[in-house]
Amino acid sequence: MFGLYKDVAVLAAKRAARSWLAALSIPVYALVVMGAAQVAAPLGMIGGMIVGLVAAACFGGYLSLLSSAVEGSRIRFADLKHGLRAVWDVVSVFFALWILGLGVSMLQKMAGPNAAAVGGVAALAAAIFFNVVPELIYQSRHRSFALLKESASFVMANPFAWFPPNLVFAFVILWATGTLTLSSPGALLVRLAQLGSAGGVLAFVGSAPLWMAPLLIAFVHFVMVFRGLLYKELGAGSTRMRAFRRSMGT
């Protein structure tokens, strides 16, 4: 399995470097969302919906660029604008997650003093079972709840192949931002759950020293290319993957 990780990492490094414009788009899109949040703040619920649409458009824009990066295509400046075509794909997933969030909120109200524990468990479960959502948005034909189900199915079929490198990447980000703590398992799980969302990743990057931010952004883009390539490998059912699954009894 380490041979597969090595091959994917080498290819991901090459394609991430080739698609440096996609990495550059991360802070650009983040600033756009922050600007929209400032402008829409006085509008209340309507403002929140506007910010949500802007965030979906920007996330979809990056995923469109990421799709080209994973395929090894060269990205041009014009692609930064054309990448916004995936907005409705992202909105469908955001809507499904919002519905599930309403359900979790209801459970928290029913849980009384245990509301925080219920919310923490739900966040961790979402970080695990919906971990492959970004890859599926640009590599799957499913959308909304069907895409979330596909993500959970993939995770359950490939837990020992998918999560080890992703945990390593998560620990690198936590270590680089000075938030890695092994003395408190609960706090560590909370931070790992936060890294399961795009907003959480950007929050950690934003908390890093200014000189470190470009390095972290480049690292995050490499990780996303790596994940896209690894997903393709695991989904393809190669001979190496079949042998690994037999050895794991899955």
Side-chain angles (χ1 to χ4, degrees):
M1 201 63 203
F2 289 105
L4 174 62
Y5 293 152
K6 177 183 176 181
D7 293 344
V8 171
V10 171
L11 183 57
K14 293 178 180 178
R15 294 191 174 178
R18 181 183 177 87
S19 60
W20 61 271
L21 270 176
L24 182 63
S25 75
I26 295 176
V28 172
Y29 287 141
L31 289 174
V32 170
V33 175
M34 291 172 60
Q38 290 291 329
V39 173
L43 300 179
M45 183 179 295
I46 295 178
M49 295 176 61
I50 293 174
V51 174
L53 286 173
V54 172
C58 291
F59 189 44
Y62 173 68
L63 291 181
S64 295
L65 300 177
L66 180 61
S67 176
S68 298
V70 169
E71 294 299 326
S73 303
R74 186 175 296 277
I75 298 174
R76 302 166 298 176
F77 277 100
D79 295 327
L80 296 176
K81 178 179 64 176
H82 299 322
L84 299 178
R85 290 172 296 182
V87 56
W88 297 116
D89 296 334
V90 178
V91 166
S92 72
V93 177
F94 278 14
F95 178 76
L97 292 173
W98 178 70
I99 294 295
L100 293 178
L102 290 179
V104 171
S105 297
M106 293 178 62
L107 289 176
Q108 286 182 290
K109 291 179 180 178
M110 296 169 59
N114 298 317
V118 171
V121 170
L124 184 60
I128 294 173
F129 292 108
F130 301 154
N131 196 269
V132 201
V133 163
E135 287 68 37
L136 291 175
I137 288 177
Y138 68 89
Q139 295 195 48
S140 172
R141 294 182 179 179
H142 292 133
R143 293 295 177 262
S144 191
F145 289 100
L147 186 143
L148 298 183
K149 180 181 178 181
E150 185 178 0
S151 175
S153 298
F154 177 86
V155 166
M156 288 188 288
N158 303 279
F160 301 109
W162 178 257
F163 283 112
N166 281 286
L167 285 173
V168 171
F169 297 145
F171 277 106
V172 169
I173 293 176
L174 293 179
W175 170 79
T177 56
T179 55
L180 177 62
T181 173
L182 301 178
S183 60
S184 176
L188 178 60
L189 286 176
V190 169
R191 293 188 177 110
L192 290 175
Q194 290 174 332
L195 286 172
S197 68
V201 173
L202 291 177
F204 279 100
V205 173
S207 67
L210 188 59
W211 65 266
M212 187 187 294
L215 298 176
L216 283 175
I217 290 171
F219 179 71
V220 168
H221 179 57
F222 160 77
V223 169
M224 294 305 294
V225 176
F226 179 97
R227 284 167 54 100
L229 292 170
L230 181 61
Y231 172 80
K232 293 182 66 175
E233 282 286 340
L234 299 181
S238 63
T239 302
R240 180 160 45 182
M241 274 309 307
R242 287 194 295 269
F244 174 74
R245 287 170 179 159
R246 285 196 298 269
S247 69
M248 299 303 298
T250 60

